[in-house]
């Protein structure tokens, strides 16, 4: 006589819950592991988080990385990414914003110091070009490519010498930005007022505010891309409370392309590394991208750096996790290349 209980077979099936794939860059939402919603899963959100009967991948659509933070116990942080720490110290930062493709307001800051006019970069045809000419071309390619990706993106142009000057206001027309890009001359600069640049940004754009940073996508994000080419000039930076508030805002990003002559002139090696470390210390959230390019190298390196900045700042990983090789072992992590 069969003495097994009628419900034992069903309980055995419930215990055999398949393993859910971890969320990675190729599977950020666990989308392949989601089970289709059916009548039996309507009340699954009311079950305890540790219940084995809870369907895998049962999260709100579009929450991205923030969904794990919303499921954390009260008082504990959400999913932590290993962000690039300043001066080689790698700490953990918590990214709490939804990974969505919202419009960007991109502020491109171009340095006009006299160092940008020195013809040292090797062009495609073997001739020597100056950093300003190469930067102008790569900025135009960046603006036009971003516009093709999403025509809602807006761009503004700021030129930097001793002070920062707002040259072109926000526009979604690449032609307006490019029309102001080429009629520029370098000047002798004695200082770089970084505080003034941040103050100018705060005057020109108001950062968005949402009711819930973890789950509600912002209407837009603000990203500043600084193309800087002074190896010996230490920026004037006091870092007041309003500047700290700007840098800590989850919807503000400060990317840097630093052009230096450290490889060509060995005596300047320590100075440009200190400068690059300073830019790294501004990244309190671990979400900014920073690149350094030597003047003695090929101009292609500058174009590669600008191409890597095409990714949306809410959707890209932290720089130490970024890989650009098509094959395994084809490229090193960005953190190793920038350290």
């Amino acid at each position: 006589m069969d003495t097994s209980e009628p419900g034992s077979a069903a309980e055995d099936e419930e215990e055999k819950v398949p393993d859910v794939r971890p969320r990675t860059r190729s599977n950020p939402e666990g989308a392949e592991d989601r089970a289709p919603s059916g009548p039996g899963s309507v009340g699954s959100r009311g079950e305890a988080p540790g219940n084995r009967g809870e369907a895998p991948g049962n999260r709100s659509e579009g929450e991205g990385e923030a969904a794990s933070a919303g499921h954390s116990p009260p008082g504990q942080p959400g999913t932590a990414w290993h962000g690039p720490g300043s001066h080689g110290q790698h700490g953990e930062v918590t990214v709490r914003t939804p990974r969505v493709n919202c419009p960007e307001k991109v502020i491109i800051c171009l340095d006009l110091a006299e160092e940008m006019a020195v013809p040292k970069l090797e062009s495609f045809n073997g001739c020597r070009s100056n950093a300003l000419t190469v930067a102008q071309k790569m900025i135009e390619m960046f603006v036009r490519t971003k516009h093709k990706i999403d025509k809602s993106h807006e761009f503004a142009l700021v030129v930097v010498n001793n002070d920062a000057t707002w040259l072109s206001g926000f526009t979604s027309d690449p032609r307006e930005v490019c029309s102001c890009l080429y009629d520029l001359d370098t000047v002798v600069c004695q200082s770089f007022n970084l505080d003034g640049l941040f103050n100018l940004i705060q005057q020109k754009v108001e950062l968005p505010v949402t009711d819930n940073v973890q789950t509600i996508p912002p209407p837009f994000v603000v990203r500043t891309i600084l193309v800087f080419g002074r190896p010996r000039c230490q920026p004037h930076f006091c870092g007041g409370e309003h500047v700290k508030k700007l840098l800590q805002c989850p919807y503000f990003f400060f990317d840097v392309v630093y052009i230096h002559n450290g490889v060509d002139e060995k005596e300047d090696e320590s100075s440009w590394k200190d400068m690059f470390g300073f830019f790294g210390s501004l990244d309190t959230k671990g979400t900014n991208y920073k690149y350094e390019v030597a003047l003695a190298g090929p101009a292609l390196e500058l174009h590669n750096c600008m191409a890597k900045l095409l990714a949306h700042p809410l959707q890209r990983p932290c720089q130490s996790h970024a890989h650009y090789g098509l094959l395994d072992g084809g490229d090193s992590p960005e953190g190793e290349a920038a350290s």
Side-chain angles (χ1 to χ4, degrees), residues 268-279:
D268 291 333
E269 184 175 358
S270 60
S271 62
W272 77 256
K273 287 187 175 181
D274 291 341
M275 179 71 73
F276 192 68
F278 165 76
F279 286 125

Side-chain angles (χ1 to χ4, degrees), residues 2-30:
D2 186 6
T3 59
S4 61
E5 296 182 4
S8 60
E11 292 177 358
D12 292 338
E13 290 297 327
E14 286 185 358
E15 291 180 359
K16 297 178 181 180
V17 179
D19 295 334
V20 181
R21 284 179 54 197
R23 284 178 289 109
T24 62
R25 290 195 302 274
S26 61
N27 188 31
E29 302 289 338

Side-chain angles (χ1 to χ4, degrees), residues 106-108 135-151 153-157 171-179 181 225 306 310:
V106 183
I107 306 171
I108 300 174
Q136 289 168 332
K137 292 179 180 178
M138 74 178 188
I139 289 173
E140 180 179 0
M141 294 176 64
F142 173 86
V143 171
R144 293 186 181 277
T145 305
K146 286 288 288 185
H147 178 72
K148 288 184 178 180
I149 295 174
D150 190 338
K151 290 179 172 54
H153 294 324
E154 296 182 2
F155 308 92
L157 181 62
T171 176
S172 57
D173 188 354
R175 293 172 297 182
E176 294 186 22
V177 179
C178 297
S179 64
L181 187 59
I225 300 177
M306 207 66 182
L310 286 170

Side-chain angles (χ1 to χ4, degrees), residues 1 14 18 20 28 61 79-80 83 85 95-96 173 206-207 217 268 287 299 314 322:
M1 180 181 293
E14 286 185 358
V20 181
E61 192 73 40
T79 301
V95 178
R96 298 181 178 274
D173 188 354
E206 184 176 354
L207 295 174
D268 291 333
T287 55
L314 288 182

Side-chain angles (χ1 to χ4, degrees), residues 17-337:
V17 179
D19 295 334
V20 181
R21 284 179 54 197
R23 284 178 289 109
T24 62
R25 290 195 302 274
S26 61
N27 188 31
E29 302 289 338
E32 298 177 10
D33 303 316
R34 284 203 186 100
S37 299
S41 62
V42 173
S44 60
R45 288 188 179 273
E47 298 178 357
N51 195 327
R52 290 188 179 183
E54 185 176 7
N58 195 10
R59 299 189 288 130
S60 297
E61 192 73 40
E63 287 182 4
E65 203 66 29
S68 59
H71 286 187
S72 300
Q76 295 185 9
T79 301
W81 281 6
H82 293 278
S86 59
H87 303 289
Q89 296 177 356
H90 293 266
E92 286 192 354
V93 293
T94 303
V95 178
R96 298 181 178 274
T97 52
R99 300 176 65 184
V100 295
N101 182 25
C102 64
E104 283 188 66
K105 291 183 179 291
V106 183
I107 306 171
I108 300 174
C109 303
L110 179 60
D111 189 11
L112 292 183
E114 60 179 348
E115 290 87 349
M116 296 287 288
V118 179
K120 289 186 177 181
L121 288 170
E122 184 178 349
S123 301
F124 298 102
N125 56 6
C127 299
R128 295 288 177 177
S129 299
N130 60 63
L132 178 60
T133 301
V134 177
Q136 289 168 332
K137 292 179 180 178
M138 74 178 188
I139 289 173
E140 180 179 0
M141 294 176 64
F142 173 86
V143 171
R144 293 186 181 277
T145 305
K146 286 288 288 185
H147 178 72
K148 288 184 178 180
I149 295 174
D150 190 338
K151 290 179 172 54
S152 63
H153 294 324
E154 296 182 2
F155 308 92
L157 181 62
V158 174
V159 293
V160 177
N161 37 58
N162 291 315
D163 294 307
T165 303
W166 195 273
L167 198 62
S168 172
F170 284 109
T171 176
S172 57
D173 188 354
R175 293 172 297 182
E176 294 186 22
V177 179
C178 297
S179 64
C180 305
L181 187 59
Y182 290 98
D183 296 331
L184 302 172
D185 296 319
T186 58
V187 296
V188 178
C189 299
Q190 303 297 331
S191 62
F192 172 44
N193 187 2
L194 186 56
D195 283 319
L197 174 60
F198 288 136
N199 291 334
L200 180 63
I201 293 172
Q202 289 181 309
Q203 293 173 10
K204 295 294 184 178
V205 61
E206 184 176 354
L207 295 174
V209 178
T210 59
D211 294 334
N212 192 322
V213 176
Q214 299 182 14
T215 58
I216 300 178
F220 62 89
V221 296
V222 179
R223 175 157 57 132
T224 299
I225 300 177
L226 173 63
V227 181
F228 190 73
R230 308 182 206 179
R232 303 180 183 90
C233 180
Q234 185 70 24
H236 179 269
F237 180 71
C238 296
E241 288 300 323
H242 63 288
V243 174
K244 292 180 180 179
K245 185 177 180 181
L246 175 69
L247 294 175
Q248 292 173 357
C249 177
Y251 307 133
F252 178 78
F253 303 87
F254 186 69
D255 297 338
V256 178
V257 178
Y258 179 45
I259 307 169
H260 61 86
N261 54 2
V263 175
D264 189 38
E265 299 179 19
K266 295 298 183 180
E267 64 270 15
D268 291 333
E269 184 175 358
S270 60
S271 62
W272 77 256
K273 287 187 175 181
D274 291 341
M275 179 71 73
F276 192 68
F278 165 76
F279 286 125
S281 67
L282 300 177
D283 189 9
T284 59
K285 307 185 300 291
T287 55
N288 302 336
Y289 274 30
K290 301 161 290 292
Y291 294 102
E292 50 87 12
V293 178
L295 277 174
L300 179 64
E301 291 298 323
L302 270 178
H303 288 278
N304 288 342
C305 291
M306 207 66 182
K308 293 175 182 178
L309 294 178
L310 286 170
H312 197 287
L314 288 182
Q315 296 180 319
R316 67 190 184 186
C318 62
Q319 189 174 5
S320 60
H321 288 183
H323 292 261
Y324 299 98
L326 296 178
L327 302 176
D328 291 340
D331 195 7
S332 60
E334 285 296 299
E336 296 179 5

